[in-house]
Every structure is written in structure tokens, then in C-alpha cells.
Amino acid sequence: MYLTNMEIVKSVAFGIYLYSMFIYQKELLADFKYNKPKVFSEYFWYAVLFIGGLVPILNTIVGCYIIKSKK
């Protein structure tokens, strides 16, 4: 089975998207490590940012699943 050009482009874009998400999460965790939060609200905002970095990838996976199930 061969991939079409559009499937290759989508795969590359998805790979770049995943890589950028991992870079974002790595930098967020490094910042958390070197600048320890002192109050609960700072912990809360780090958690919100971490979850916010994961949400777009989850939306993409669910969107792909929905599109495939509708075909």
C-alpha cells in the first residue's frame, strides 16, 4: 500500500506538531524544576499550562478518529 502525497504531508505535519508539543512540555518542566513554585496558585498554573499543552494533540487524535469513523 502506497501513501498519497496528501497523506505524506499530513504525516509530516503531524510529526512536527508532536515534536513541538514535546519541546513545549520539556521547556515547561525545566522551568518548573529551576523556578519552584512557592504558593498553591503557582502550582495550579503550571498544571493548567501542562494540560493545555496536551489538549491540541488530543483534539487532533479524536478528530482523526471521528473523520475515519464517518467514512
Side-chain angles (χ1 to χ4, degrees):
M1 181 171 124
Y2 296 103
L3 295 175
T4 64
N5 288 340
M6 189 49 112
E7 289 172 335
I8 293 170
V9 169
K10 287 179 187 177
S11 299
V12 169
F14 188 65
I16 292 170
Y17 188 68
L18 276 175
Y19 186 65
S20 66
M21 183 197 68
F22 287 125
I23 290 172
Y24 171 80
Q25 297 293 359
K26 182 182 142 210
E27 291 297 320
L28 182 66
L29 291 175
D31 184 52
F32 182 78
K33 180 180 174 185
Y34 294 117
N35 300 319
K36 292 284 185 184
K38 294 170 182 52
V39 293
F40 176 75
S41 64
E42 291 178 2
Y43 281 104
F44 173 75
W45 287 115
Y46 271 104
V48 168
L49 289 172
F50 186 79
I51 292 169
L54 297 176
V55 168
I57 194 69
L58 295 174
N59 286 343
T60 303
I61 292 170
V62 170
C64 291
Y65 178 76
I66 290 171
I67 290 170
K68 285 185 179 186
S69 69
K70 295 292 181 181
K71 286 185 177 181

